[in-house]
Amino acid sequence: MVEKQMQDEVQTPGAVFFIFGATGDLARRKLFPAIYSLYREGKLAEDFAVIGVARRPRSPEEFREDIYESIKEFCRYPAGEPDEWNAFVEHFEYKSLDINNVDGFKELREQTESLEAKFNTPGNRLFYLALAPELFGSVSYSLRDGGMLESRGWNRLVIEKPFGYDLQSAEHLNEQIREVFREEEIYRIDHYLGKEMVQNIEVIRFGNAFFEPLWNNKHIANVQITLGETVGVEERGGYYDHSGALRDMGQNHMLQMLTMIAMEPPSRLFPEDIRDEKVKVLRSLRAFTSDEEVSTNVVRGQYTEGEYRGKQLPGYRQEDKVDPESNTETYFAARVFVDNFRWAGVPFYIRTGKRLPVKTTEIVVEFKSMPSNVYLGKKYKLEPNLLVIRVNPMEGIYIKINAKKPGSDSEIQPLAMDFCQSCMIGINSPEAYERLLHDAAEGDSTYFTRWDEVATAWSFVDRIAAAWAENHGELHTYPAGTWGPEATGKLLEQDGFHWWPVNGQDEDSVVWQVNN
Ligand SMILES: NC(=O)C1=CN([C@@H]2O[C@H](COP(=O)(O)OP(=O)(O)OC[C@H]3O[C@@H](n4cnc5c(N)ncnc54)[C@H](OP(=O)(O)O)[C@@H]3O)[C@@H](O)[C@H]2O)C=CC1
Ligand SMILES: O=C1O[C@H](COP(=O)(O)O)[C@@H](O)[C@H](O)[C@H]1O
C-alpha cells in the first residue's frame, strides 16, 4: 500500500488510459486538459498512451482536432508549438464502439496491444468511465468478455459520480462492477477530494498546534459549509431534473468535505487509515428519524426568474429539458450533527445551490466566544474567532481574531489574517482532475471514495429524499441571483447563530471576486 505523500515530483508508471465517453462534455472540459497538464509538467511517463472510446465515428485527425480544441479552451497550459504538440497527440488514438458490443472490445484489445508495443508500455491499463452510470456494469462485463483485462500489468477502473440514484441502485451498480473488478481496483471519483484546499484540511488540522487541540465541542460552536454556484443547470437539465441538489452535491461533495473536517486523526497517512476515519464520521451522522425532523432541519428550494448583474435569468422550470412543473430542488441546506465524543452538540450547517450570487466553496469554523466579563460595561463586543477555508475557485485560509484598535484604549476591532493561495499560484491550480488522474495511475486511492463511504452517505441522504417524496419538505423558492430561501437562516437562528458572509458576498468580506 502506498503511504500518502506529496507526490508532485512523481511520474506515473507507463500505462494506457482509456477514456470511455471521449466525445462527451467531461472529457472535453476536464480530462483531456488534465492529461495535457500532467504531460507538460513531466508527470506522465514517456510510455503512456490514450485511447478515446465512444460511439460516434472519428478519424484520427478529427479526434486529435477535438483534443486540440479542448486544450485551447479549457487547459491552464496553451497547446505547445507544432513539434511539441505533435509529440503529445501522437500518444492518442480513438475507437468507435458501443459499449454493449463485445466484438468491438475484441478489436479494442488488438488496437491496445499494438499501441502498447509501439510505446513499450508495461501493460498497465486505466479505464476511465466518463459515461452515464447505467453503463458502468455493461462496460465492466464487455471489458472482461472482450479480453481487455488480460494484460501484463495492472487494471484500474475510474468511475464518475453520480454513483447511483439511491442506496439500492448504488448497491446494484456496485455488485455489477464487483463481478469484474476488486474493490482495490476501483477508483470512485469525487472531484472535490482532488481540490487543493480540501486536501489541505488534513495539514491545517493535523499540522498546527493551534488548531487540533481546539478541534472539538469544547471550543467549536458550529461549522458552516457553503457550496454556491452562479450557474444554472446549463445543458444538463435532463440529468439534473432527475437528480436535484441533494443527490448532485449533497451525497458526495458536501458530505465528503464534512468528513475531512470532522474525522479523527488517522494513525498513518495510508489510504485505508484515512478512509476508515472518514467512514466513521459518516456512520456517526445523526439520522433523521421522522419526516418532521427532516422538515425542521432541512430546507429545500428552487430558483425562479431573477436578475443577476443586470441580466434577466430564467427560472428553473423554464430551463431546457426541465419539467415545467418540476419540484426538483436546486438548493438545499441542512443542520446535521456528528454524534460522537468529539462533536457532540456541535451543529454542522451545510448549504448548496445553483444561481446564487457568488461562485464559492467555503468552510467556516466558528469558535466559541471567550468569556466577556473582562469587557463588561464596555461599548464594544468581542466577535467569535473564525477559521475560514476557501476551497473554490479562490483558494486560501482566512482567520478572524479580535485585536485592539491602534491608537485607541477602548476599542477592539476584528482583524483578518488572510492567506490568499490563489493570489500567488492562480485559481484551482492544479485542477482536481489532474491530481486524481495522477493518483489513480499511481495506485493511490486516498482521495477516492470507498464503497462503504458511498453506501453510508446514501443511507443518510435517502432518509431526506424519502421525506421529501412524501411531500413533507416544503419546496421554497428564491429568485435567481439571490442567496436561497429565507427559511435557511432559521436553521441557524434556532441555535443562536447566523451564516457568515462568504467571500465576495458583502463589503465586509474579503473580496477575491471571481466570475463564472
Ligand atoms: N460534465 C461534467 O462536468 C461532469 C460529468 N459527470 C459525470 O460524468 C459522466 C459523463 O458526463 P458528460 O461527459 O457530461 O456526458 P455527455 O453526455 O457529454 O457524454 C457521454 C459520453 O458517453 C458516450 N456514450 C454514451 N452512450 C454510449 C454507448 N452506448 N457506448 C459508447 N459510448 C457511449 C457518448 O458518446 P457517443 O454519443 O459518441 O457515443 C459521450 O462521449 C456522467 O456520469 C456525468 O454525470 C460528473 C461530474 C461533472
Ligand atoms: O459534481 C458537480 O460539481 C459541479 C461543481 O463543481 P465545481 O468544481 O465547479 O465547484 C456542479 O456544477 C455539478 O452540478 C455537479 O454535478
Side-chain angles (χ1 to χ4, degrees), residues 462-481:
D462 278 357
R463 187 65 199 85
I464 300 173
W468 288 352
E470 293 294 315
N471 272 330
H472 287 280
E474 187 187 344
L475 182 67
H476 300 265
T477 56
Y478 61 100

Side-chain angles (χ1 to χ4, degrees), residues 129-184:
L129 307 192
L131 297 168
E134 305 82 69
L135 303 177
F136 294 171
S138 310
V139 182
S140 305
Y141 298 146
S142 295
L143 283 170
R144 179 192 59 198
D145 300 341
M148 285 293 296
L149 304 181
E150 292 154 26
S151 61
R152 285 173 290 124
W154 46 251
N155 296 304
R156 290 188 188 135
L157 184 73
V158 182
I159 46 185
E160 264 297 338
K161 68 165 270 282
F163 196 80
Y165 175 78
D166 53 15
L167 179 58
Q168 198 185 9
S169 58
E171 275 172 343
H172 179 62
L173 200 58
N174 200 48
E175 278 160 18
Q176 290 181 322
I177 295 169
R178 287 297 308 278
E179 281 180 43
V180 179
F181 292 94
R182 286 175 286 122
E183 172 66 25
E184 49 285 17

Side-chain angles (χ1 to χ4, degrees), residues 217 262-264 280-281 284 337-345:
N217 59 0
M263 73 181 191
E264 295 299 315
K280 282 186 210 163
V281 174
S284 306
F337 288 91
V338 178
D339 278 340
N340 63 17
F341 199 77
R342 184 186 285 263
W343 294 111

Side-chain angles (χ1 to χ4, degrees), residues 89-218:
V89 283
E90 194 204 350
H91 292 257
F92 284 70
E93 288 194 2
Y94 183 78
K95 173 70 186 162
S96 162
L97 59 67
D98 186 303
I99 49 98
N100 294 304
N101 173 10
V102 177
D103 288 338
F105 279 78
K106 290 178 182 156
E107 291 164 16
L108 181 63
R109 177 184 175 170
E110 283 172 21
Q111 185 176 348
T112 306
E113 285 169 354
S114 74
L115 204 59
E116 285 175 339
K118 177 175 169 189
F119 288 105
N120 195 22
T121 77
N124 299 325
R125 297 176 185 176
L126 186 147
F127 306 103
Y128 195 117
L129 307 192
L131 297 168
E134 305 82 69
L135 303 177
F136 294 171
S138 310
V139 182
S140 305
Y141 298 146
S142 295
L143 283 170
R144 179 192 59 198
D145 300 341
M148 285 293 296
L149 304 181
E150 292 154 26
S151 61
R152 285 173 290 124
W154 46 251
N155 296 304
R156 290 188 188 135
L157 184 73
V158 182
I159 46 185
E160 264 297 338
K161 68 165 270 282
F163 196 80
Y165 175 78
D166 53 15
L167 179 58
Q168 198 185 9
S169 58
E171 275 172 343
H172 179 62
L173 200 58
N174 200 48
E175 278 160 18
Q176 290 181 322
I177 295 169
R178 287 297 308 278
E179 281 180 43
V180 179
F181 292 94
R182 286 175 286 122
E183 172 66 25
E184 49 285 17
E185 293 174 321
I186 304 170
Y187 292 71
R188 296 179 195 82
I189 291 248
D190 181 313
H191 78 274
Y192 264 69
L193 290 177
K195 291 191 189 280
E196 269 296 317
M197 291 306 292
V198 173
Q199 299 190 356
N200 207 351
I201 294 171
E202 234 173 64
V203 183
I204 294 167
R205 284 191 52 193
F206 306 136
N208 290 299
F210 44 67
F211 291 132
E212 193 50 29
L214 306 184
W215 212 256
N216 54 52
N217 59 0
K218 291 188 189 59

